[in-house]
């Protein structure tokens, strides 16, 4: 009985050979000496050959080709055995199953590419006892095997099994539709139960392991039971598949039928000269259009789209696009807005309740409310809060919304690189939507919310456009009243929105965008401010979140200061909040473990170590205790606040080279060279040896080399350290400085004065030197800090050296 499909036993791995190339015979190898029970072995890949089955196979592996040609030449049979693993290219004795099929070669054809096409007929089952590998590519495998007799006795139970399996197989063929009806009739006409079971198994579309299990079973009744089990499972799956296909086909036919009927009705109405009656959906949209009271331009556009929808087939893709567009038009707040709170005392009270400090932002909000009260037609401001992480920029936006009685929404711009995120996608694209601004307005349902554009300095650009350029229209008070989204294609007034943006630094923001915003800098918190924030906000919130009460835990000022100084080092209060929460969690664990215990935990300077472990920071780790030659202390600004910066200079014998290490940027390297040139120009005055630039090498190093450093503000510190090292005069450890230096020794102004002074105060530095032109920045520093630190303003390097070098002052 021939099978209905041709199968491969392996991938073709033989080398490609042209049809005209002379090919060596595979029979040049010496024939194997096989006994009565010995046969050549043909490994099969991904196919099982059953007795009585005739199958065409393609042979590509050399050993398999030799076995086939030897069997055909000597008119001998061979054993076809299925591999255990389909991925094995060169199977050995251990890679084959124990039961195979004895078969004979009916026809052999050599193909032009060097492979063979062979027609095999299965003769009977064989149990393999021993397999010998040929040992080389020219000798095929051979096996010693014994026949497996068919075990069955005619009985009523056997006849019932045959009938049941035949019915299942007939149903399987009906559902599968891949087996020809002629094959079904020829298989069901077989009277031998064993041959019937083998033929049915050969035609099943199941895994090779299942077929091998059926081949290895000598008992016919057991073989029929396995077939019945597999057929029942396959038929159940095929029934479900057929049901799903019928449901999908029915839905498609219903949709097509409705479409054709609708078109026929329209055609008949046109023939009768009547207008088509609008559907309920169109009438519903018309009612929304009347109730919405849209602006004239928007009303005309919506009416035009609605007329298009009325003439479209309800289930057409274009109708879906139009319906989505109309839904967006009707859902936007064209006129709805909240009533603002213009009572200045109430707004000021709310701002003070939510945040401690932040004097400038609060004053600006109250100024805006005063202007709105006097001139209700004024446009919303566009503020930009710039400051290090954790100082309350985002939470301040929520507080502003609460103080002005407006809805609040936040849009994160971090990582945004697509211009369509702001302006929206055009409706020509599948799945297009309006931009984030319009989506936010639909979400809040009012046209005058407070919208916080967070992390505006983290945007980027790529081939899809530049979102910062799209924001130029959004954040321009002269243009945003006529903002046009690519999806809506009609103007929407954004001038009533109170826009607030936040950034950690301003230099990544394009100048044109920066010019449209009113920048308000929020600097680092002082220790006093952090203590007040912790007492008023962080501690009560942490106690509430952990389920504690005032009877279980309390924090002293000394305890909060200890956490600030030894467990946090930041400009904001995020890490401070985490440490306070950690303390509360540990106390909550003790309370939960022993609820009857009524002991109150007081967090003071002596208990923080028990609750938080070893301190993470040493309070004076960057402050030197003794004067050192070639070491000066500078002040640096970082995105998380100010910091102390030690600069070390070593003088080595050499030829005048200058080495700069510590990941210094280009500007800082230029500052170091300018400081060296200044030292050379004043060498005699400072007592520096002559010709030092030819006899010595200088190595300038800034510790914490893994952190990049740049900027001109370390110029005076570099000059002080160089002169200290070359002149052999120690620099004072209690003096920290900042300022840019010129070749003539003048000190120029720098930025970040407040953060730098706060860093010096945290490290308990007694004296701070700043440029004379930065005197105005001292107004931003709290008076309590100014009382603790001696701040001197300097004009030139002579004043710096007079105060910073120990031998010049005579104090050390």
């Amino acid at each position: 009985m021939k099978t209905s499909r041709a199968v491969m036993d392996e991938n073709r791995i033989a080398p490609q050979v042209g049809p005209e190339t002379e090919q060596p015979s595979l029979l040049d190898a010496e024939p194997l000496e096989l006994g009565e029970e010995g046969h050549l072995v043909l490994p099969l890949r991904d196919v099982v050959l059953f007795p009585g089955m005739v199958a065409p196979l393609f042979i590509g592996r050399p050993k398999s080709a030799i076995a086939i040609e030897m069997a055909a030449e000597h008119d001998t049979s061979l054993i076809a055995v299925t591999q255990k693993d389909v991925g094995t290219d060169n199977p050995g004795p251990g890679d084959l199953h124990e039961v195979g099929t004895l078969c004979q070669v009916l026809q052999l054809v050599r193909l032009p590419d060097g492979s063979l096409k062979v027609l095999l007929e299965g003769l009977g089952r064989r149990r393999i006892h021993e397999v010998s590998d040929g040992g080389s590519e020219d000798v095929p495998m051979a096996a010693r095997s014994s026949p497996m007799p068919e075990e069955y006795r005619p009985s009523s139970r056997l006849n019932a099994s045959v009938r049941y399996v035949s019915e299942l197989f007939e149903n399987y063929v009906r559902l599968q539709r891949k087996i020809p009806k002629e094959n079904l009739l020829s298989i069901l006409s077989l009277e031998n139960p064993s041959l019937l079971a083998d033929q049915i198994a050969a035609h099943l579309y199941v895994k090779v392991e299942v077929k091998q299990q059926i081949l290895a079973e000598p008992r016919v009744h057991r073989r029929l039971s396995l077939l019945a089990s597999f057929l029942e499972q396959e038929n159940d799956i095929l029934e479900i598949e057929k049901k799903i296909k019928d449901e999908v086909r029915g839905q498609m036919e219903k949709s097509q039928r409705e479409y054709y009927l609708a078109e026929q009705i329209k055609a008949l109405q046109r023939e009768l000269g009547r207008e088509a009656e609008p559907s309920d959906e169109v009438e519903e949209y018309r009612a929304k259009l009347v109730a919405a009271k849209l602006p004239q331009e928007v009303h005309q556009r919506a009416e035009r789209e609605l007329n298009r929808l009325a003439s479209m087939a309800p289930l057409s893709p274009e109708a879906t696009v139009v319906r989505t567009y109309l839904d967006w038009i009707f859902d936007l707040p064209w006129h709805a807005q909240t009533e603002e709170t213009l009572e200045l005392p109430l707004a000021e009270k709310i701002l003070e309740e939510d945040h401690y400090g932040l004097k400038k932002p609060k004053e600006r909000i109250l100024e805006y409310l005063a202007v709105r009260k006097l001139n209700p037609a004024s446009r919303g401001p566009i503020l930009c809060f710039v400051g290090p992480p954790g100082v309350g920029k985002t939470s301040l936006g929520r507080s502003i919304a609460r103080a002005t009685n407006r809805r609040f929404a936040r849009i994160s711009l971090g990582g945004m690189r697509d211009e369509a995120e702001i302006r929206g996608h055009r409706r020509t694209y599948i799945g297009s939507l309006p931009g984030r601004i319009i989506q936010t307005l639909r979400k809040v349902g009012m046209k005058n919310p407070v919208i916080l554009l967070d992390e505006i300095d983290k945007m980027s650009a790529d081939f899809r456009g530049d979102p910062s350029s799209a924001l130029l229209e959004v954040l321009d008070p002269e243009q945003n009243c006529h903002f046009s989204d690519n999806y809506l294609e009609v103007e929407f007034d954004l001038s009533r929105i109170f826009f607030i943006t936040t950034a950690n630094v301003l230099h990544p923001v394009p100048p044109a965008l920066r010019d449209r915003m009113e920048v308000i800098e929020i600097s680092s918190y002082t220790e006093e401010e952090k203590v007040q924030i912790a007492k008023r906000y962080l501690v009560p919130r942490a106690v509430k979140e952990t389920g504690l009460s005032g009877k279980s835990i309390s924090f002293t000022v000394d305890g909060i200061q200890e956490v600030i100084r030894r467990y946090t080092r930041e400009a904001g209060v995020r890490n401070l909040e985490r440490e306070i929460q950690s303390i509360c969690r540990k106390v909550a664990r003790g309370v939960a473990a022993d609820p009857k215990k009524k002991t109150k935990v007081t967090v003071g300077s002596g208990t923080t170590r028990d609750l938080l472990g070893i301190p993470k920071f040493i309070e004076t780790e960057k402050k030197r205790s003794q004067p050192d030659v070639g070491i000066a202390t500078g002040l640096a600004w970082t995105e998380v606040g100010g910091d102390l910066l030690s600069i070390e200079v070593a003088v080595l014998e050499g030829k005048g080279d200058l080495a700069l290490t510590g990941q210094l940027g280009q500007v800082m390297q230029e500052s170091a060279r300018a400081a060296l040139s200044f030292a050379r120009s004043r060498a005699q005055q400072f007592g520096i040896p002559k010709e030092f630039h030819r006899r010595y090498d200088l190595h300038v190093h800034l510790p914490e080399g893994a952190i990049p450093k740049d900027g001109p503000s370390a110029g005076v510190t570099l000059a002080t350290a160089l002169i200290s090292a070359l002149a052999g005069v120690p620099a004072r450890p209690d003096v920290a400085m900042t300022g840019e230096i010129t070749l003539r020794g003048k000190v120029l102004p720098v930025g970040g004065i407040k953060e730098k002074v706060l860093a010096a105060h945290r490290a308990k530095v007694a004296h701070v030197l700043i440029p004379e032109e930065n005197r105005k920045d001292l107004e931003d520093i709290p008076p309590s800090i100014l009382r603790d630190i001696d701040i001197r303003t300097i004009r030139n390097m002579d004043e710096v050296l007079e105060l910073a070098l120990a031998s010049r002052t005579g104090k050390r």
Side-chain angles (χ1 to χ4, degrees):
M1 185 69 58
K2 292 188 178 182
T3 182
S4 63
R5 56 176 182 156
V7 292
M8 283 190 178
D9 75 321
E10 65 230 346
N11 293 329
R12 297 178 179 177
I13 60 174
Q16 300 294 324
V17 182
E20 299 179 0
T21 305
E22 184 178 354
Q23 303 174 12
S25 174
L26 296 173
L27 300 176
D28 293 343
E30 297 181 2
L32 297 174
E33 295 295 335
L34 302 174
E36 294 182 358
E37 300 299 329
H39 296 87
L40 295 174
V41 174
L42 176 64
L44 301 180
R45 194 201 312 248
D46 202 22
V47 66
V48 178
L49 187 64
F50 284 89
M53 177 180 174
V54 177
L57 301 175
F58 291 94
I59 308 299
R61 290 184 285 202
K63 281 190 176 184
S64 300
I66 293 173
I68 290 293
E69 288 204 344
M70 291 178 67
E73 179 71 18
H74 300 290
D75 196 17
T76 59
S77 56
L78 70 164
I79 300 178
V81 189
T82 304
Q83 297 177 197
K84 295 179 180 178
D85 185 3
V86 179
T88 304
D89 290 330
N90 297 308
D95 299 322
L96 305 177
H97 287 285
E98 297 179 354
V99 177
T101 302
L102 186 67
C103 57
Q104 65 178 0
V105 180
L106 298 180
Q107 185 179 3
L108 176 64
V109 178
R110 179 178 292 277
L111 300 177
D113 62 357
S115 61
L116 301 177
K117 181 178 180 181
V118 61
L119 193 64
L120 297 180
E121 180 183 10
L123 302 177
R125 287 175 171 78
R126 303 287 292 193
R127 183 174 298 279
I128 299 173
H129 303 293
E130 181 181 356
V131 180
S132 63
D133 195 351
S136 67
E137 291 291 333
D138 299 332
V139 182
M141 287 190 291
R144 187 171 58 85
S145 62
S146 61
M148 296 176 61
E150 305 291 346
E151 300 178 8
Y152 73 92
R153 288 184 301 175
S155 63
S156 300
R157 180 179 179 83
L158 181 64
N159 293 336
S161 298
V162 170
R163 184 177 300 176
Y164 182 58
V165 170
S166 299
E167 291 176 357
L168 290 175
F169 181 65
E170 187 173 1
N171 191 32
Y172 175 80
V173 173
R174 179 181 61 81
L175 296 171
Q176 183 63 257
R177 294 184 179 181
K178 293 182 180 180
I179 301 174
K181 191 174 181 180
E182 296 78 8
N183 288 19
L184 172 64
L185 296 176
S186 60
I187 292 172
L188 296 180
S189 65
L190 296 174
E191 298 181 356
N192 188 327
S194 176
L195 186 58
L196 174 69
D198 289 342
Q199 288 297 317
I200 291 176
H203 285 77
L204 290 181
Y205 288 87
V206 294
K207 295 181 179 180
V208 175
E209 291 78 7
V210 175
K211 291 188 176 182
Q212 181 64 34
Q213 184 181 356
I214 296 174
L215 179 66
E217 181 55 62
R219 297 167 293 180
V220 177
H221 68 89
R222 177 60 181 162
R223 207 183 307 161
L224 291 170
S225 298
L226 290 174
L227 279 174
S229 175
F230 295 139
L231 284 170
E232 286 175 351
Q233 295 177 8
E234 287 296 317
N235 287 347
D236 290 342
I237 295 174
L238 291 173
E239 287 283 359
I240 296 174
E241 290 181 357
K242 184 176 181 300
K243 182 178 179 182
I244 294 173
K245 290 179 181 178
D246 292 342
E247 289 177 355
V248 173
R249 187 181 300 109
Q251 292 175 358
M252 294 178 61
E253 291 176 352
K254 180 181 178 182
S255 301
Q256 293 174 352
R257 185 168 59 253
E258 291 177 352
Y259 173 75
Y260 291 140
L261 290 174
E263 291 298 319
Q264 289 175 359
I265 291 174
K266 290 180 181 179
L268 290 173
Q269 289 175 340
R270 284 195 298 269
E271 289 294 329
L272 296 173
R274 300 176 183 175
E275 294 184 358
E277 294 183 1
S279 64
D280 294 340
E281 181 185 40
V282 174
E283 287 299 317
E284 182 180 349
Y285 276 122
R286 291 197 185 279
K288 288 183 178 180
L289 180 60
V290 173
K293 296 181 180 179
L294 302 174
Q296 182 178 0
E297 179 190 359
V298 182
H299 183 92
Q300 293 174 353
R301 183 59 182 267
E303 190 172 17
R304 189 162 58 249
E305 294 293 330
L306 192 53
N307 293 333
R308 289 181 58 214
L309 178 63
S311 62
M312 291 179 182
L315 299 178
S316 66
E318 185 65 22
T320 303
V321 173
V322 174
R323 278 194 292 269
T324 305
Y325 176 80
L326 291 174
D327 289 339
W328 275 101
I329 290 291
F330 295 141
D331 289 345
L332 287 177
W334 298 96
H335 303 290
Q337 59 182 2
T338 55
E339 185 177 351
E340 288 183 276
T341 299
L342 300 179
E343 297 298 328
L344 299 185
L346 178 60
E348 185 175 7
K349 179 182 177 182
I350 293 174
L351 292 173
E352 291 295 336
E353 286 178 356
D354 293 347
H355 290 83
Y356 179 82
L358 304 179
K359 182 179 179 181
K360 283 188 176 180
K362 292 177 180 178
E363 288 181 351
R364 182 63 184 86
I365 302 306
L366 295 176
E367 291 170 2
Y368 162 72
L369 292 179
V371 173
R372 286 284 294 170
K373 188 173 184 178
L374 299 177
N375 180 17
S378 62
R379 296 171 180 173
I382 299 171
L383 306 182
C384 179
F385 296 152
V386 180
V391 295
K393 300 185 295 296
T394 303
S395 60
L396 184 58
R398 297 181 185 277
S399 181
I400 291 172
R402 194 165 78 91
T404 57
N405 191 32
R406 294 187 178 208
R407 303 278 179 89
F408 176 80
R410 173 181 171 272
I411 300 176
S412 177
L413 302 180
M416 184 180 292
R417 57 182 66 234
D418 188 358
E419 176 260 349
E421 290 281 346
I422 304 297
R423 289 187 178 275
H425 299 81
R426 299 194 181 278
R427 284 194 291 157
T428 53
Y429 300 105
I430 297 175
S432 57
L433 287 172
R436 299 282 293 276
I437 303 295
I438 298 298
Q439 292 183 36
T440 302
L441 288 172
R442 182 191 188 186
K443 181 180 179 182
V444 298
M446 296 292 169
K447 65 177 298 183
N448 65 335
V450 174
I451 295 183
L452 180 75
L453 303 176
D454 211 3
E455 309 292 355
I456 197 173
D457 57 329
K458 307 298 190 303
M459 290 188 300
S460 57
D462 63 3
F463 65 94
R464 289 169 290 188
D466 185 0
S468 62
S469 299
L471 282 175
L472 294 177
E473 181 184 4
V474 175
L475 299 182
D476 191 340
E478 300 297 329
Q479 301 181 36
N480 60 11
C481 57
H482 303 292
F483 175 73
S484 177
D485 188 274
N486 289 334
Y487 182 85
L488 297 180
E489 296 180 341
V490 291
E491 293 182 356
F492 193 96
D493 184 8
L494 303 182
S495 62
R496 297 297 179 183
I497 300 175
F498 194 143
F499 283 107
I500 300 173
T501 65
T502 68
N504 295 128
V505 290
L506 272 180
H507 60 80
V509 182
L513 182 58
R514 195 185 316 161
D515 183 63
R516 283 163 167 77
M517 302 181 294
E518 181 179 345
V519 178
I520 298 177
E521 295 188 0
I522 302 178
S523 57
S524 308
Y525 289 125
T526 65
E527 182 177 300
E528 180 182 349
E529 288 174 335
K530 290 182 180 180
V531 170
Q532 293 298 325
I533 291 171
K535 287 174 58 179
R536 298 186 183 191
Y537 309 106
L538 304 184
V539 170
R541 187 190 307 163
V543 170
K544 181 180 179 181
E545 290 178 354
T546 52
L548 298 172
S549 64
K551 299 179 180 179
S552 304
I553 186 173
S554 64
F555 286 77
T556 65
V557 174
D558 292 341
I560 296 174
Q561 289 177 340
E562 186 74 8
V563 175
I564 295 172
R565 294 170 182 172
R566 296 186 176 273
Y567 295 91
T568 63
R569 184 64 57 87
E570 59 178 342
V573 291
R574 284 204 180 112
N575 288 328
L576 176 60
E577 183 175 14
R578 293 189 187 101
E579 299 298 335
I580 291 174
Q581 289 175 346
S582 177
I583 292 174
C584 292
R585 287 195 300 269
K586 287 181 171 59
V587 175
R589 179 182 176 185
V591 173
D594 188 5
K596 297 181 180 179
K597 189 177 180 180
K598 301 299 183 180
T599 305
K600 182 178 182 179
V601 177
T602 301
V603 181
S605 58
T607 58
T608 53
R609 186 183 180 94
D610 298 332
L611 294 168
L612 295 178
I614 301 174
K616 299 178 182 178
F617 302 98
I618 300 174
E619 190 174 342
T620 58
E621 60 179 352
K622 293 187 178 180
K623 177 185 173 184
R624 296 174 288 120
S625 58
Q626 297 295 330
D628 292 309
V629 174
I631 301 180
T633 303
L635 296 171
W637 179 91
T638 68
E639 294 185 8
V640 295
D643 201 0
L644 262 64
L645 187 69
S646 294
I647 297 180
E648 302 176 353
V649 177
V651 181
L652 312 169
E653 290 188 3
K655 54 182 179 179
D657 291 337
L658 175 63
L660 302 172
T661 58
Q663 279 214 61
L664 308 188
Q666 182 65 31
V667 176
M668 186 170 281
Q669 292 182 30
E670 294 175 356
S671 296
R673 293 188 179 92
L676 179 59
S677 297
F678 168 75
R680 285 182 59 185
S681 66
R682 308 280 288 274
Q684 184 176 0
Q685 177 183 345
F686 297 143
I688 299 174
K690 295 181 179 180
E691 305 293 327
F692 76 90
H693 58 284
R694 299 185 182 183
R695 296 160 45 197
Y696 300 105
D697 290 341
L698 296 176
H699 186 172
V700 179
H701 177 68
L702 278 71
E704 300 183 13
I707 302 175
K709 310 167 188 69
D710 204 359
S713 63
V716 294
T717 315
L718 287 164
T720 303
L722 284 167
I723 294 172
S724 172
L726 292 169
V729 179
R732 294 175 56 180
D734 60 344
V735 176
M737 62 198 76
T738 184
E740 182 180 355
I741 187 177
T742 69
L743 294 178
R744 299 292 188 270
K746 292 184 178 181
V747 180
L748 302 181
V750 293
I753 293 298
K754 180 179 179 181
E755 286 78 7
K756 294 175 181 178
V757 172
L758 294 180
H761 183 263
R762 285 196 300 266
K764 296 190 181 305
V765 175
H767 308 278
V768 173
L769 308 181
I770 65 172
E772 174 66 28
E773 295 183 35
N774 286 118
R775 181 186 294 272
K776 63 182 185 309
D777 296 320
L778 297 179
E779 297 177 1
D780 297 333
I781 301 174
S784 59
I785 303 296
L786 297 177
R787 288 194 296 267
D788 294 340
I789 299 181
D790 176 24
I791 300 179
R792 306 284 185 92
T793 57
I794 50 177
R795 297 182 179 85
N796 52 58
M797 278 302 302
D798 291 328
E799 296 179 3
V800 174
L801 298 175
E802 189 69 27
L803 296 170
L805 298 184
S807 63
R808 288 178 171 262
T809 61
K811 295 181 181 180
R812 293 185 185 274

